[in-house]
Amino acid sequence: MNQVARRLGKTFALVLPVVLVLSGTLAVTRVPWAVSSSDAQVLTASAKSRQEVAAEAAAKAPQEALRSRLLAELQEKDPGVALTDLQVAMARQPSLAKYCVSIARSLGRAAVAKYDGATQRAQSWSRPVCDTAFATGVASVG
């Protein structure tokens, strides 16, 4: 009787973790992430790669949202407006200051592209925002 109980205990100890792991894995393979009208949006647990998740996170980062907004503003209006808004954003959110140089360079390159390679015209909008990063961006294209 004692051997039967041991054998049963060993079998149970081996099978139980396997069953728990499999049932847990199956439970998360279909998770509704968003409510839709048809409830058809279901994502499997392994559908997105780490690169895709990292790219989405980067796309949602505050500095990337600011960069996108300022680049769009530069295209719609002029580089001066975008640089002024960059300066205002840096004053409002000092945590973004470490991205200021990168954003200003992007604006400089975009200004050259907007004026079809006319670096002189793009450079005329230069302001002392983030040191000389805008001018560096303009010069890097020309």
Side-chain angles (χ1 to χ4, degrees), residues 99-123:
Y99 305 104
C100 187
V101 170
S102 171
I103 294 171
R105 281 188 189 141
S106 297
L107 291 173
R109 289 189 294 269
V112 173
K114 178 177 181 168
Y115 298 121
D116 296 321
T119 57
Q120 190 78 16
R121 187 167 179 201
Q123 188 65 39

Side-chain angles (χ1 to χ4, degrees), residues 30-44:
R30 292 182 54 88
V31 178
W33 291 102
V35 178
S36 65
S37 59
S38 65
D39 288 334
Q41 286 186 325
V42 177
L43 181 67
T44 60

Side-chain angles (χ1 to χ4, degrees), residues 62-72 99 102-103 106-107:
Q63 70 273 11
E64 292 306 318
L66 176 63
R67 181 188 318 266
S68 296
R69 182 175 61 83
L70 293 175
L71 288 170
Y99 305 104
S102 171
I103 294 171
S106 297
L107 291 173

Side-chain angles (χ1 to χ4, degrees), residues 120-141:
Q120 190 78 16
R121 187 167 179 201
Q123 188 65 39
S124 68
W125 295 101
S126 188
R127 300 220 178 121
V129 179
C130 309
D131 296 325
T132 58
F134 179 81
T136 303
V138 170
S140 71
V141 176

